[in-house]
C-alpha cells in the first residue's frame, strides 16, 4: 500500500527530525553501527519533496525500490537526502545520506559531502512515538542536478561507504513534476555559493 504524499512527507520529516543512534527491517539481520555523538537541538528549516523513481537504491548490499526522495536542510547546516524505502515489511524504512558544507558549482548543480548515514526501521527505539534513526559514520558524496528555487530537479546521485565497509548507492531520476518546497523556519544558509 502506497502512502499518500502528505503523509509520506510528514513521516519523512519526523524521521529526519529525530536524529540519534541501525538495524534494518525485513529478513536481514541487524547491522552493527559505530554511532557518532548525536546532533541535538537541530530543526529542519527547509524540506523539498521530489517525485520520480530510484533507478538504483542499494543499502549495505541489498537492492530496494524507493517511494520518494526528500532534501531536508537543518537550521545548523546539516543536510539529508532522505529516501523512503519501498519495503513492504517496514513502512518506517528510511535511509538518509547526511552531511554538511554543501556547495553549488552553478545554479543547477549541488554537491554534498557525506559524513554519516542515518538508518531507520520499524525496530528502532522510539521517542515521542517516532523511530529514532541510527547514525553510521560514513564517507561519500551526493550530487543534485537542478534547482529548488526553480522547483526543478533532474536527478540525485549518492554514493557512500560506512566505517564497516558497507556501501550505499542512490540514483534518483525526477519525473519532471515540480519539486514541493516547504520553508519551515527561517535560518542562515549553509551552502557555500561562489556566485554571491
Amino acid at each position: 500500500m502506497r502512502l499518500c504524499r502528505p503523509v509520506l512527507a510528514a513521516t519523512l520529516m519526523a524521521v529526519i527530525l529525530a536524529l540519534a543512534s541501525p538495524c534494518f527491517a525485513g529478513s536481514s539481520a541487524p547491522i552493527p553501527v559505530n554511532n557518532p555523538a548525536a546532533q541535538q537541538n537541530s530543526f529542519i528549516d527547509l524540506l523539498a519533496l521530489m517525485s520520480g523513481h530510484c533507478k538504483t537504491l542499494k543499502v549495505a548490499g541489498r537492492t530496494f525500490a524507493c517511494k520518494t526522495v526528500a532534501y531536508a536542510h537543518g537550521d545548523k547546516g546539516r543536510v539529508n537526502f532522505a529516501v523512503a524505502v519501498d519495503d513492504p515489511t517496514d513502512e518506517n524504512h528510511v535511509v538518509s545520506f547526511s552531511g554538511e558544507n554543501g556547495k553549488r558549482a552553478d545554479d543547477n548543480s549541488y554537491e554534498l559531502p557525506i559524513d554519516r548515514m542515518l538508518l531507520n526501521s520499524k525496530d528502532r527505539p522510539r521517542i515521542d512515538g517516532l523511530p529514532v534513526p541510527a547514525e553510521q559514520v560514513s564517507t561519500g558524496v551526493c550530487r543534485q542536478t537542478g534547482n529548488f528555487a526553480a522547483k526543478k530537479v533532474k536527478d540525485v546521485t549518492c554514493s557512500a561507504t560506512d566505517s564497516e565497509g558497507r556501501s550505499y548507492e542512490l540514483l534518483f531520476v525526477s519525473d519532471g513534476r515540480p519539486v514541493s518546497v516547504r520553508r519551515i523556519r527561517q535560518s542562515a544558509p549553509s551552502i557555500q555559493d561562489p556566485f554571491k
Side-chain angles (χ1 to χ4, degrees), residues 9-11 22 25 35 44 49 52 70 74 89 123 125-126 129 134-135 142 146 158-159 166 173-174 192:
T11 302
N35 286 342
I44 300 301
L49 292 173
T89 65
D123 300 322
R126 294 177 179 266
E135 294 186 22
C142 285
C158 297
S159 178
R166 293 178 294 257
V173 178
S174 170
Q192 297 173 9

Side-chain angles (χ1 to χ4, degrees), residues 12-24 33-39 42 44 57 59 72 78-85 92-99 114-121 124 131-138 160 162 168:
L12 271 175
M13 192 158 120
V15 167
I16 292 166
L17 289 171
L19 291 178
S21 49
C23 67
F24 287 104
V33 296
N34 293 322
N35 286 342
Q39 184 178 3
S42 181
I44 300 301
L57 176 57
V59 178
R78 179 149 295 274
V79 170
N80 299 315
F81 280 100
V83 183
V85 179
N92 293 318
H93 197 168
V94 177
V95 176
S96 298
F97 295 81
S98 184
I114 301 302
D115 62 7
R116 68 187 73 167
M117 294 297 298
L118 305 179
L119 309 170
N120 215 330
S121 74
R124 292 294 306 144
V132 178
E135 294 186 22
Q136 180 66 42
V137 174
S138 304
D162 69 24
Y168 306 85

Side-chain angles (χ1 to χ4, degrees), residues 19 22 37 40-41 61 71 75 84 86 88 97 101 107 112 115 124 132 147 171 180 184:
L19 291 178
Q40 299 297 324
N41 301 321
Y71 167 95
D75 63 351
D86 193 358
F97 295 81
N101 301 316
D107 282 342
L112 176 69
D115 62 7
R124 292 294 306 144
V132 178
N147 184 315
L171 171 53
S180 173
I184 298 165

Side-chain angles (χ1 to χ4, degrees), residues 127-159:
I127 294 179
D128 294 329
L130 299 171
V132 178
E135 294 186 22
Q136 180 66 42
V137 174
S138 304
T139 57
V141 68
C142 285
R143 291 180 178 89
Q144 170 196 299
T145 306
N147 184 315
F148 289 138
K151 297 190 176 184
K152 292 191 183 276
V153 169
K154 181 180 176 185
D155 58 40
V156 176
T157 60
C158 297
S159 178

